[in-house]
């Protein structure tokens, strides 16, 4: 039996299986892959990891470095303005 899916006004295609993946990802990130695997009823963690848990790709927080660059550039511009 195939379950219906929903298409929003923004063109998103959402299926019931998407919610299952969301649960898998949320449980794995909050607890462990083993817990997510158990919640989803998988025999092993490999299926859960491969198909149900979205990988986190966290970029380093570079706000401090960028702020320092902006501060230095502003100071350099101010110094140039005083020279003229």
């Amino acid at each position: 039996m195939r379950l219906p899916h929903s298409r929003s006004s923004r063109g998103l295609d959402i299926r019931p299986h998407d919610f299952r993946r969301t649960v898998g990802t949320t449980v794995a990130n909050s607890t462990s892959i083993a817990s997510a695997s158990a919640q989803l009823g998988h025999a092993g963690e490999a299926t859960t990891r491969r198909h149900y848990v979205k990988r986190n790709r966290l970029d380093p927080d570079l706000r401090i470095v960028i702020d320092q660059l902006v501060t230095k550039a502003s100071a350099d511009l101010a110094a140039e303005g005083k020279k003229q």
Side-chain angles (χ1 to χ4, degrees):
M1 178 169 115
R2 187 163 171 87
L3 295 173
H5 65 276
S6 171
R7 185 175 294 272
S8 73
S9 61
R10 295 183 179 193
L12 298 175
D13 192 16
I14 302 170
R15 288 168 250 182
H17 198 77
D18 296 328
F19 293 109
R20 186 169 164 82
R21 286 189 177 123
T22 300
V23 168
T25 298
T26 303
V27 171
N29 289 340
S30 299
T31 59
S32 67
I33 288 285
S35 295
S37 198
Q39 175 67 34
L40 296 171
H42 295 153
E45 296 174 13
T47 300
T48 308
R49 187 176 287 112
R50 189 177 318 115
H51 299 290
Y52 289 86
V53 177
K54 184 177 180 181
R55 292 174 185 88
N56 284 332
R57 295 199 166 115
L58 299 176
D59 294 326
D61 187 358
L62 299 175
R63 289 179 289 183
I64 294 171
V65 174
I66 292 169
D67 286 344
Q68 290 171 346
L69 290 171
V70 169
T71 301
K72 175 143 177 36
S74 296
D76 291 348
L77 286 173
E80 286 293 320
K82 289 180 182 179
K83 288 181 183 177
Q84 295 177 358

